[in-house]
């Protein structure tokens, strides 16, 4: 990538958090709890929807298949519907999204999450919920699924867009590239001012899901809700393979953040949000899946991972599991930045499968160093 901070800034200012998962067609026959095809449903935002599922790692090559990292490459051009289906350009529900990568845990793996969704897009329309990207609120979509399937588990990832994840990333990157100043102080204040209200709305999202399921005839023991947290897409400063000075972090690594801001994001912001979400789960009596460490060593610019080159092929054991900030806008969409890529989504899918097999308790999901997405494991607590 050429070293133009102005082009990088233009791209960064366009950054937006996105999400979405591929919907599953439902049969017209009426079902009920305990009958009909079983279903696991994903709801919420980009970190569960499948944003960035287009990519197998990150490569500096800007043409063709980008050394095999670009799954939208057709041999003569790029077709994002190969990854995002009919939601390309909209909800961005990828074929490798968490629920789609979970394996045969139900007859139907239903993806209702949407790129950029907030809690308002989860609530039922009758309760003030807002349609988004041409789709009804997700709780209303869930009602249709619950009426035709035997829903066993609902995985929910929400709150990041309410807190302004995209603005935080853009501000921190801009402060590194342009202003040579830190972002963590003012951004922490922004988060602190919003987080109580956001967590209340996350709790209300759980209530809305329960109301839908009750209305469809489900008892509290007929299904589970799993609220999940967010993985960090960038490493701690000590784990970054690029020097803090110079343009390598921006133009080679795609992780333009100061050491102090990286440490804040990894060891303060991500844990703060995870701990608050865990508190919501406890208050609402639902399971919690902690993903704060899921990408440890697999983040963008992590020393333990490598970029893909003509001699280093894309691999779930060596490549990065998160999408970098494509500062020159030469590959795909900037909104895919800082999301789990196809490998990361496969890993999160494995986490979901593991939690699905454990009907009680809270669990943290981690990866095994030097192994692929299938080697994720859970710890309790």
């Amino acid at each position: 990538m050429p070293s133009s901070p102005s082009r990088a800034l233009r791209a960064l200012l366009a950054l937006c958090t996105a999400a979405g998962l591929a919907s599953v067609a439902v049969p017209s026959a009426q079902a009920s709890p305990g009958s009909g095809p079983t279903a696991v449903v994903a709801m919420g935002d980009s970190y569960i929807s499948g944003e960035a599922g287009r990519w197998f790692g990150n490569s500096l090559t800007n043409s063709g298949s980008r050394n095999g990292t670009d799954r939208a490459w057709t041999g003569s051009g790029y077709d994002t519907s190969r990854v995002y289906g009919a939601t390309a350009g909209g909800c961005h529900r990828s074929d490798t999204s968490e629920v789609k990568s979970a394996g045969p845990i139900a007859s139907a793996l239903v993806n209702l999450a949407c790129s950029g969704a907030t809690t308002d897009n989860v609530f039922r329309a009758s309760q003030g919920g807002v349609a988004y990207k041409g789709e009804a609120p997700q709780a209303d979509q869930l009602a249709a699924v619950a009426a035709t399937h035997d829903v066993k588990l609902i995985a929910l990832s929400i709150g990041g867009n309410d807190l302004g994840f995209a603005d935080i990333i853009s501000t921190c990157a801009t402060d590194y590239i342009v202003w040579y100043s830190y972002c963590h102080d003012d951004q922490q204040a922004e988060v602190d001012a919003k987080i109580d209200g956001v967590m209340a709305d996350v709790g209300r999202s759980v209530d809305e899901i329960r109301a839908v399921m009750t209305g469809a005839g489900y008892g509290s023991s007929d299904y589970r809700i799993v609220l999940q947290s967010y993985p960090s897409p960038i490493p701690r400063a000590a784990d970054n393979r690029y020097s803090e000075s110079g343009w390598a972090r921006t133009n080679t690594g795609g992780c333009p953040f100061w050491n102090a801001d990286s440490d804040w994001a990894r060891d303060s912001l991500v844990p703060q949000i995870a701990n608050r979400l865990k508190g919501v789960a406890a208050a609402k009596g639902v399971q919690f899946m902690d993903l704060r460490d899921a990408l440890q060593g697999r983040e963008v610019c992590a020393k333990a991972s490598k970029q893909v080159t003509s001699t280093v092929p894309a691999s779930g054991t060596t490549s990065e599991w998160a999408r970098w900030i494509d500062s020159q806008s030469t590959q795909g969409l900037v909104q895919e930045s800082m999301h789990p890529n196809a490998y990361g989504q496969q890993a999160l899918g494995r986490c979901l499968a593991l939690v699905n097999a454990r009907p009680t308790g809270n669990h943290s999901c981690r990866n095994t160093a030097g192994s692929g997405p299938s080697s994720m494991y859970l710890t309790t607590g």
Side-chain angles (χ1 to χ4, degrees):
M1 302 179 205
S3 57
S4 167
S6 60
R7 292 184 64 195
L9 177 58
R10 287 197 297 272
L12 290 166
L13 293 177
L15 181 66
C16 66
T17 303
L21 297 172
S23 299
V24 172
V26 295
S28 57
Q30 196 76 9
S32 62
S35 69
T38 58
V40 170
V41 182
M43 300 177 67
D45 57 25
S46 56
Y47 273 75
I48 196 171
S49 71
E51 187 68 68
R54 173 177 176 174
W55 305 96
F56 275 142
N58 301 306
S59 169
L60 291 167
T61 300
N62 290 327
S63 60
S65 70
R66 281 107 180 198
N67 290 322
T69 62
D70 192 346
R71 301 174 59 236
W73 174 244
T74 65
S76 58
Y78 304 98
D79 179 7
T80 57
S81 69
R82 292 163 64 102
V83 176
Y84 299 118
T87 68
C91 282
H92 267 202
R93 299 174 176 136
S94 77
D95 57 352
T96 59
S97 66
E98 181 178 311
V99 72
K100 294 296 185 178
S101 293
I105 60 175
S107 298
L109 304 174
V110 184
N111 205 336
L112 302 180
C114 190
S115 172
T118 64
T119 51
D120 283 345
N121 307 129
V122 173
F123 307 153
R124 291 167 293 170
S126 64
Q127 301 300 311
V130 179
Y132 188 58
K133 295 190 175 179
E135 296 189 4
Q138 291 177 34
D140 291 325
Q141 295 183 56
L142 174 63
V145 177
T148 54
H149 289 76
D150 179 14
V151 176
K152 294 298 187 184
L153 186 150
I154 300 162
L156 175 65
S157 170
I158 201 69
N161 292 321
D162 301 68
L163 283 171
F165 270 5
D167 290 339
I168 292 171
I169 293 170
S170 180
T171 297
C172 290
T174 302
D175 282 355
Y176 179 86
I177 294 170
V178 179
W179 303 116
Y180 301 98
S181 62
Y182 295 129
C183 72
H184 60 269
D185 46 2
D186 58 325
Q187 291 305 301
Q188 183 64 65
E190 293 275 350
V191 170
D192 289 343
K194 295 177 182 177
I195 198 163
D196 287 347
V198 170
M199 292 302 143
D201 285 339
V202 172
R204 184 181 164 199
S205 296
V206 173
D207 293 340
E208 287 286 292
I209 290 170
R210 279 212 173 106
V212 166
M213 299 301 287
T214 299
Y218 287 73
S220 59
S221 62
D222 292 327
Y223 69 100
R224 286 189 281 151
I225 299 173
V226 177
L227 180 64
Q228 63 188 54
S229 65
Y230 297 90
S232 175
I234 60 172
R236 300 175 178 90
D239 296 330
N240 197 308
R241 63 177 179 264
Y242 299 101
S243 171
E244 183 179 34
S245 61
W247 285 103
R249 284 192 181 179
T250 301
N251 296 314
T252 303
C255 58
F257 305 102
W258 293 111
N259 285 345
D261 291 337
S262 299
D263 287 343
W264 165 74
R266 181 67 181 85
D267 291 328
S268 181
L269 178 64
V270 168
Q272 177 187 15
I273 295 169
N275 291 336
R276 291 298 301 269
L277 288 169
K278 186 176 182 179
V280 172
K284 296 299 179 180
V286 302
Q287 280 185 281
F288 178 65
M289 181 164 66
D290 194 339
L291 299 176
R292 73 182 77 186
D293 297 317
L295 301 183
Q296 174 64 36
R298 315 308 183 104
E299 308 102 327
V300 179
C301 297
K303 288 179 180 177
S305 298
K306 301 176 181 178
Q307 286 185 349
V308 180
T309 69
S310 59
T311 57
V312 179
S315 167
T317 63
T318 61
S319 301
E320 296 163 328
W321 289 6
R323 183 63 179 161
W324 62 7
I325 293 179
D326 177 19
S327 61
Q328 305 304 321
S329 298
T330 54
Q331 300 180 8
L333 299 173
V334 176
Q335 73 182 47
E336 296 173 310
S337 301
M338 299 288 108
H339 289 82
N341 62 23
Y343 292 132
Q345 289 168 25
Q346 289 169 1
L348 299 186
R350 178 58 181 162
C351 294
L352 180 60
L354 292 170
V355 169
N356 180 68
R358 298 193 184 185
T360 60
N362 296 328
H363 304 282
S364 297
C365 196
R366 295 178 168 90
N367 70 78
T368 302
S371 298
S374 63
S375 295
M376 303 298 289
Y377 67 94
L378 298 180
T379 59
T380 302

